[in-house]
Amino acid sequence: MTKLAILEYPDPRLRTKAAPVAAVDATVRRLADDLLETMYGSRGIGLAATQVDVHRRVVVVDVSPEHDRPVVLINPQIIASESHKLCEEGCLSLPGIYANVERAQKVRVRAQGRDGSPFEMDAEGLAAICIQHEMDHLEGRLFVDYLSELKRQLIRRRLAKERRQRSVSSEVRSPASAT
Ligand code: GNR
Ligand code: NI
C-alpha cells in the first residue's frame, strides 16, 4: 500500500466529477487500499479518490475509535436520508479549516464493497456526515461551497498564508539555502 499526496483547495482538480467504476478489478482494489493507507496516515476519518487525483467513484471511511473498521464504498448512492442538522466539518484538502454544514444525521447507502459485491448500510451521526462529505468530493463539491463567498475568501487567504509560511520555514531549514 502507498500513502498518496492529497490535493489541497483551491486546486481545480478537486472540482472533477468522478466516473462510475464499471468493474471492481485489481486496480480499483489497489486504489481502495491506497486510500485507506493515505487516510490513516493523515489521521482522517474518510477519504475520496478525488482527493488523490483519481476521478473514479471510490471512497473510504473509518469513524471507529480504534481505527480498525475500514469501510470501502464503490459507486455509493444515498437511497434515504433524514433529520438534517448543522455539524462541524473538517477536510484533509483544507487543513486546519472547520465550519458548520447542514447534513442528514441518518442515511441509508447502497454501494459495492472492496470485492465488488453490492450491499446496503445504515449510518448515523459522524459516519453519516462523513459519507455525505466523501460523496460530495466525487461530485467535485467541498464543504466550503455551502458557506458564503466572503467566508470562502477568508479561508482561501488563510490557507495561502499558511502555505507561504510552510514554504519559508522549509527554506530556512533546507541546507541549500545555507550556501
Ligand atoms: O478527517 C476528516 N474529518 C471530518 C470531520 C467532520 C466531517 C467530515 C470529515 S471528513 C475528513 C477527511 C476528509 O477530508 N475526507 O474527505
Ligand atoms: Ni474532505
Side-chain angles (χ1 to χ4, degrees), residues 51 90-93 133-134 137 142:
Q51 291 175 281
C91 182
L92 293 169
S93 296
H133 174 113
E134 303 316 333
H137 278 302
L142 297 162

Side-chain angles (χ1 to χ4, degrees), residues 6-7 9 14-16 18 39 43-51 57-63 73 76-78 81 84-85 87-107 109 123 125-147:
I6 297 177
L7 300 178
Y9 178 78
L14 287 168
R15 298 309 188 176
T16 314
M39 175 186 77
R43 306 182 172 286
I45 58 168
L47 193 67
T50 311
Q51 291 175 281
R57 303 187 83 80
V58 180
V59 310
V60 297
V61 175
D62 186 346
V63 297
L73 301 170
Q77 283 180 283
I78 289 176
S81 61
H84 288 72
K85 280 199 192 108
C87 268
E88 189 171 73
E89 289 193 19
C91 182
L92 293 169
S93 296
L94 292 108
I97 305 291
Y98 302 89
N100 285 325
V101 177
E102 194 182 294
R103 300 282 192 191
Q105 296 302 297
K106 287 190 177 185
V107 293
V109 183
L126 191 56
I129 291 160
C130 188
I131 289 169
Q132 292 166 84
H133 174 113
E134 303 316 333
M135 289 178 63
D136 270 357
H137 278 302
L138 300 182
E139 295 299 313
R141 231 172 6 242
L142 297 162
F143 77 83
V144 289
D145 299 347
Y146 299 106
L147 309 177

Side-chain angles (χ1 to χ4, degrees), residues 25-93:
D25 56 15
T27 308
V28 172
R29 282 192 293 276
R30 170 85 204 253
L31 170 61
D33 294 345
D34 289 347
L35 286 172
L36 285 168
E37 172 110 348
T38 308
M39 175 186 77
Y40 289 126
S42 311
R43 306 182 172 286
I45 58 168
L47 193 67
T50 311
Q51 291 175 281
V52 299
D53 202 23
V54 176
H55 302 289
R56 308 187 70 187
R57 303 187 83 80
V58 180
V59 310
V60 297
V61 175
D62 186 346
V63 297
S64 70
E66 307 291 336
H67 312 292
D68 57 357
R69 293 264 185 282
V71 178
V72 175
L73 301 170
I74 298 170
N75 297 323
Q77 283 180 283
I78 289 176
I79 56 177
S81 61
E82 63 178 274
S83 156
H84 288 72
K85 280 199 192 108
L86 276 179
C87 268
E88 189 171 73
E89 289 193 19
C91 182
L92 293 169
S93 296

